[in-house]
Each structure stands twice: as structure tokens, then as C-alpha cells.
Amino acid sequence: MHPLAGIGLFFALVFGIAVHFSLHQIEEGHVGVYYRGGAMLQGMAGPGFHMMIPLLTSVRNVQTTLQTDEVKNVPCGTSGGVMIYFDRIEVVNVLQPNAVYQIVKNYTADYDKPLIFDKVHHELNQFCSSHNLQEVYIELFDQIDENLKHALQADLTEMAPGLKVHSVRVTKPKIPEAIRKNYELMESEKTKLLISNQKQKVIEKDAETDRKKAVIEAEKEAQVAKIKYEQNILEKESMQKMETINDMMHLAKEKSKTDAEFYKIQKQAEANRLLLNKEFLELKRIEAMATNNKVYFGPDIPNMFISEGSDDANRLS
């Protein structure tokens, strides 16, 4: 083998090893921070392939998307002295890319340990120490996640701006077995009481519904009776008006007949008054005498005396 070929092969091998150790990849959703001799360098790298000085420089990937940190088996002592354990606490958080350098420089690439894990332990113990078991396990349990989130965010805003907590999920704590059984018994009794109260409410609701139905039916019957009563009144009033109209018509008819009769008699009286004058009466008298003449036969013929004037007597004799 030629000596120059061996030297070339050696340099090619060294170059390949150097490229292998200097070429690295940053995943999407992460940034790369570099250390040289234990000191953090100024620059950061985004997603993709990058080069660094092998053996002297090292790189750490820091996630800048939503991540969930799980804090497990957190001991907590209540104000009454009962020791309980929170099995798992999940903290959903995100680190802003522009805050990576300062936070990693101050708290290392494992920043979540002092800023989240340790703070969760501290805040939970602060909460438990100021409340009794009943409050922690039952009454205030639904508030623990919100209180923990606000406490963490308040400290992070001051200590590590750019690290934001989106939500906190807290599992039910583990309590001593004897106490847990008592709570289960208490919950069972509460459930029975709630069922009893619900049954009572249902009965009361049914009774109220029946009462309302009875009231509605009574109101309906009253309205129907009122309508019938008003209808009867209207019918009576209509009949009365019809009778009044008939009476008025009969009265008007009789009055018309009476007026006609009166007018007839009045006219006859006026006619008679005009007709019964002296001459007409004289004519009637003469006609009556003419119709009542009697003829007498015999030796003695009676004389006729007429009480009218002598001229008439002589004319008749």
C-alpha cells in the first residue's frame, strides 16, 4: 500500500469522526443551548442540523412547546397532624423561546425541577398546613388546582418571566385506611340523605303539581260557570228585549187602530155636525111623518096637532 494512500485514509477517518461528533440535530419545538468547558455560550440554535466543535462543545435540547410535568407522591401534613400523600400532580406549562437563554442560564436546562417540582411540594405543604383533613380531602379539594396554579404563576412571573402555567391537575390524596373508611361511610350516609331529600322533593313536587292541577280545574269550572251564567243572562236580556219590542209593536198597532177609530168617529161627528142642520132635520121630520101617516075611517076623524108654526099646521090640515 502506498504511504500517501494510508495518510489520506487516516485523514478521511479523522474527518468522518469529527463530522460525526460535530453534526447534531435540533428537533422541532425545541431550541439548542451550547456549553463549552461547562460555561453556557451566547448563541442558541433552532430546529434543523447544526455543527459544533467536537469534544469541546456540548448541546442540550430545551422544549418550547406545551409540556406536562408530573410530580408524584407528594407528602403533605394537615393542620390536625394527619399525613396524606398526593399520588400525582400534573402541571401543564410552556417556555417562551425568547426566555430560554435567561431561564436556562439561571436555573440550568433542568429548570423545571426548582421552578415547578420543588414549588409544587412547597405550595401543597403550605396549603395542607393551614387546613384540616376535612377541608383538604372534601370541602376545599376542588379549589386546590386553581390555588396551586395561581401560586405557581405568581412565583414564576417574578422569578422566571416567560415560563407560563396553563393548568394544574391534582389527584385525590391518599389518606390513612381507617379514616378513608369513615369518609366512605359518611359519604354513603350523605348519599342516602340526598336520595331521601330528592324523594321528598319529588313527592312535594308531585303534590304541588296536583294542587296546581286542581286549582286550574277549579278555575276552569268557575270560568265555564261564569260563561254559562253570562250566556243565560244574555239570553234572558235578549228575550226581554224581544218581548219589549213585541209589546211596543202591539201597543203601536193598537194605538194606530185606536187613532184610526178615533179619527173615523171624529170625522163622522164633524160630518154629522155639518149634516144635522135645520133644513136636514126638517127634511127628516117630514120624511118620518110621511112614512108614519095613518088613515082613519069613520064618522069621527081625529084632528092632528102639530107643534110647529101655524103655517105648517094649516098646510098639513
Side-chain angles (χ1 to χ4, degrees):
M1 183 178 181
H2 196 277
L4 292 178
I7 295 173
L9 182 61
F10 173 76
F11 279 108
L13 181 61
V14 170
F15 179 77
I17 294 174
V19 169
H20 174 75
F21 284 101
S22 63
L23 183 66
H24 60 281
Q25 180 183 356
I26 305 298
E27 297 291 340
E28 187 66 43
H30 295 72
V31 295
V33 294
Y34 296 93
Y35 295 88
R36 185 176 298 161
M40 184 177 175
L41 302 180
Q42 287 286 341
M44 294 188 302
F49 288 103
H50 301 275
M51 300 290 292
M52 64 180 180
I53 300 176
L55 303 179
L56 297 179
T57 305
S58 60
V59 62
R60 289 288 302 272
N61 285 347
V62 179
Q63 186 174 350
T64 56
T65 56
L66 278 177
Q67 60 178 335
T68 301
D69 292 323
E70 291 188 358
V71 187
K72 297 182 178 180
N73 199 26
V74 180
C76 185
T78 65
S79 60
V82 179
M83 182 62 66
I84 61 178
Y85 294 87
F86 288 89
D87 185 55
R88 185 175 69 258
I89 300 169
E90 297 178 351
V91 181
V92 181
N93 61 92
V94 61
L95 177 61
Q96 302 297 325
N98 56 4
V100 171
Y101 180 81
Q102 197 62 38
I103 290 178
V104 173
K105 187 174 180 63
N106 293 335
Y107 302 102
T108 73
D110 298 322
Y111 62 88
D112 49 359
K113 184 180 185 306
L115 294 178
I116 294 179
F117 287 82
D118 294 344
K119 289 297 294 181
V120 167
H121 280 262
H122 173 73
E123 293 297 335
L124 269 182
N125 278 276
Q126 287 288 103
F127 180 82
C128 291
S129 63
S130 59
H131 297 89
N132 57 39
L133 180 61
Q134 174 70 16
E135 293 173 335
V136 175
Y137 192 69
I138 301 294
E139 297 176 0
L140 301 179
F141 176 74
D142 60 337
Q143 304 176 16
I144 293 178
D145 49 1
E146 285 297 321
N147 291 338
L148 186 56
K149 173 187 174 183
H150 292 316
L152 287 175
Q153 189 60 65
D155 288 340
L156 291 177
T157 301
E158 180 180 353
M159 298 173 59
L163 180 59
K164 295 183 179 180
V165 177
H166 280 258
S167 63
V168 175
R169 296 186 292 268
V170 180
T171 59
K172 201 74 171 178
K174 295 179 180 179
I175 61 176
E177 186 66 20
I179 299 177
R180 185 184 64 79
K181 289 182 179 180
N182 289 335
Y183 272 112
E184 289 179 353
L185 180 61
M186 182 177 65
E187 287 299 318
S188 175
E189 295 298 325
K190 283 184 178 180
T191 302
K192 292 180 181 178
L193 179 60
L194 289 174
I195 294 174
S196 177
N197 290 337
Q198 289 299 322
K199 288 183 178 179
Q200 183 177 356
K201 288 181 180 179
V202 170
I203 294 173
E204 292 176 354
K205 193 67 176 179
D206 291 341
E208 181 68 16
T209 303
D210 293 339
R211 187 188 68 80
K212 289 183 178 180
K213 288 174 64 177
V215 170
I216 293 173
E217 289 295 330
E219 291 178 351
K220 179 181 177 181
E221 292 178 358
Q223 290 177 356
V224 171
K226 182 180 178 181
I227 293 172
K228 289 183 177 180
Y229 172 76
E230 292 177 351
Q231 185 177 2
N232 290 333
I233 294 295
L234 291 175
E235 290 179 358
K236 297 294 183 182
E237 290 178 351
S238 299
M239 292 177 63
Q240 184 179 5
K241 289 181 180 178
M242 291 177 63
E243 290 178 356
T244 302
I245 293 172
N246 291 332
D247 292 342
M248 292 176 64
M249 292 175 60
H250 179 71
L251 178 62
K253 183 177 180 181
E254 293 297 324
K255 184 178 179 180
S256 177
K257 291 171 63 178
T258 303
D259 291 343
E261 188 69 24
F262 174 76
Y263 180 77
K264 178 180 178 182
I265 294 173
Q266 186 181 19
K267 290 301 180 180
Q268 286 179 354
E270 291 179 357
N272 291 335
R273 187 172 61 249
L274 295 175
L275 184 63
L276 297 178
N277 52 24
K278 185 177 180 181
E279 291 78 8
F280 181 75
L281 292 175
E282 182 63 22
L283 176 62
K284 288 296 182 181
R285 185 178 67 83
I286 294 172
E287 289 178 352
M289 289 177 61
T291 55
N292 293 326
N293 284 338
K294 294 182 180 181
V295 179
Y296 296 93
F297 297 93
D300 295 324
I301 299 174
N303 294 323
M304 179 183 294
F305 296 93
I306 302 174
S307 61
E308 298 296 326
S310 59
D311 292 336
D312 294 335
N314 293 327
R315 192 168 48 251
L316 292 173
S317 60

